[in-house]
């Protein structure tokens, strides 16, 4: 049985909802030519955002950079882990000479260069967007920023770390293994390893964006 008070509340809610639907229909007809169906508000441009593209990008970049700085221990652990793995690989392949065995060992060390940079960077970012998905969806629906400004700001804020990791790894392993001497050869190797690391990071972002949850 429904009490009289509950019945009154249901009737009142029905009237309010009916009036609200009518108002929303009128607004929808009024803004039929607006691709975003937004009500006119002070400070909102024709695209429906309160700020310009550059302002959105700057704010997202600054917020993402602050989130990186708030967790310096994570950066130190990443760099320390990279240095330890690089020292281990350098110790295994230490001082190779250019004979038949040395060439095979150098091939193995280069394979470890690629696999370490690939998996280390993929798993470092694989849960970034999945963890922030609820916040992103709420702020996106509130039209605080665009998708492209969020993605660019987020990735550029973390870019220094993904340049420092290949630098530390290559700087330790390159002389220990005894790869070809010369600054130009070292810089070429560093450039390739950095590209591999950042492509792997992008692949990790792809997996993170395509997944609805961390699990």
């Amino acid at each position: 049985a429904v009490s009289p008070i509950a019945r009154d509340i249901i009737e009142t809610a029905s009237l309010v909802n009916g009036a609200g639907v009518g108002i929303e229909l009128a607004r929808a007809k009024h803004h039929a030519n607006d691709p975003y169906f937004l009500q006119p508000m002070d400070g909102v441009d024709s695209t429906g955002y309160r700020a310009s593209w550059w302002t959105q990008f700057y704010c997202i970049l600054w917020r993402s950079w602050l989130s990186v700085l708030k967790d310096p221990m994570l950066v130190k652990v990443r760099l320390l882990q990279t240095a330890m793995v690089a020292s281990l690989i350098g110790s295994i392949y230490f001082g190779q000479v250019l004979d038949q065995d040395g060439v095979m060992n150098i091939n193995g060390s280069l394979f470890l260069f690629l696999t370490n940079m690939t998996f280390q960077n993929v798993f470092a970012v694989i849960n970034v967007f999945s963890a922030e998905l609820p916040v992103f969806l709420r702020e996106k629906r509130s039209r605080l920023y665009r998708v492209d400004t969020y993605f660019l700001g987020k990735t550029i804020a973390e870019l220094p770390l993904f340049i420092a990791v290949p630098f530390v790894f290559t700087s330790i392993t390159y002389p220990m293994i005894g790869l070809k001497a010369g600054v130009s050869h070292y810089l070429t190797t560093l450039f390739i390893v950095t590209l591999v690391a950042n492509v792997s990071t992008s692949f990790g972002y792809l997996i993170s964006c395509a997944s609805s949850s961390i699990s």
Side-chain angles (χ1 to χ4, degrees), residues 82-96 105 108-117 120 169 172-174 176-177:
T82 302
M84 292 177 62
V85 174
S87 300
L88 178 61
I89 296 176
S91 300
I92 295 173
Y93 295 97
F94 184 79
Q96 296 298 317
N105 291 334
S109 66
L110 294 179
F111 174 77
L112 290 179
F113 264 61
L114 300 180
T115 54
N116 181 71
M117 284 294 98
Q120 179 181 355
F169 184 83
I172 295 175
T173 54
Y174 196 92
M176 290 184 68
I177 295 173

Side-chain angles (χ1 to χ4, degrees), residues 38-202:
L38 292 175
Q39 303 176 33
M41 299 175 62
D42 295 335
V44 178
D45 59 11
S46 59
T47 61
Y49 295 97
R50 290 183 176 274
S52 64
W53 191 96
W54 285 107
T55 303
Q56 297 173 34
F57 172 73
Y58 173 78
C59 293
I60 293 296
L61 178 62
W62 180 248
R63 187 178 72 174
S64 301
W65 178 246
L66 289 180
S67 66
V68 173
L69 295 180
K70 285 193 300 184
D71 197 1
M73 183 58 64
L74 179 61
V75 177
K76 294 178 181 178
V77 169
R78 285 285 311 278
L79 296 177
L80 179 61
Q81 176 188 5
T82 302
M84 292 177 62
V85 174
S87 300
L88 178 61
I89 296 176
S91 300
I92 295 173
Y93 295 97
F94 184 79
Q96 296 298 317
V97 294
L98 290 179
D99 54 14
Q100 186 63 34
D101 293 334
V103 170
M104 296 300 295
N105 291 334
I106 289 174
N107 284 337
S109 66
L110 294 179
F111 174 77
L112 290 179
F113 264 61
L114 300 180
T115 54
N116 181 71
M117 284 294 98
T118 298
F119 291 106
Q120 179 181 355
N121 289 282
V122 165
F123 288 106
V125 301
I126 201 168
N127 64 342
V128 169
F129 291 108
S130 298
E132 297 186 1
L133 186 61
V135 176
F136 167 74
L137 291 177
R138 183 176 67 249
E139 295 178 344
K140 177 64 174 62
R141 288 165 182 164
S142 299
R143 309 200 67 76
L144 296 180
Y145 47 75
R146 310 167 191 263
V147 177
D148 54 349
T149 55
Y150 173 78
F151 182 81
L152 290 175
K154 187 73 176 174
T155 53
I156 293 177
E158 298 178 352
L159 186 61
L161 180 60
F162 296 118
I163 295 177
V165 168
F167 174 78
V168 172
F169 184 83
T170 307
S171 299
I172 295 175
T173 54
Y174 196 92
M176 290 184 68
I177 295 173
L179 299 178
K180 192 171 184 179
V183 177
S184 61
H185 302 299
Y186 164 76
L187 293 178
T188 301
T189 305
L190 177 61
F191 177 70
I192 295 174
V193 173
T194 303
L195 286 181
V196 170
N198 283 274
V199 169
S200 304
T201 301
S202 300

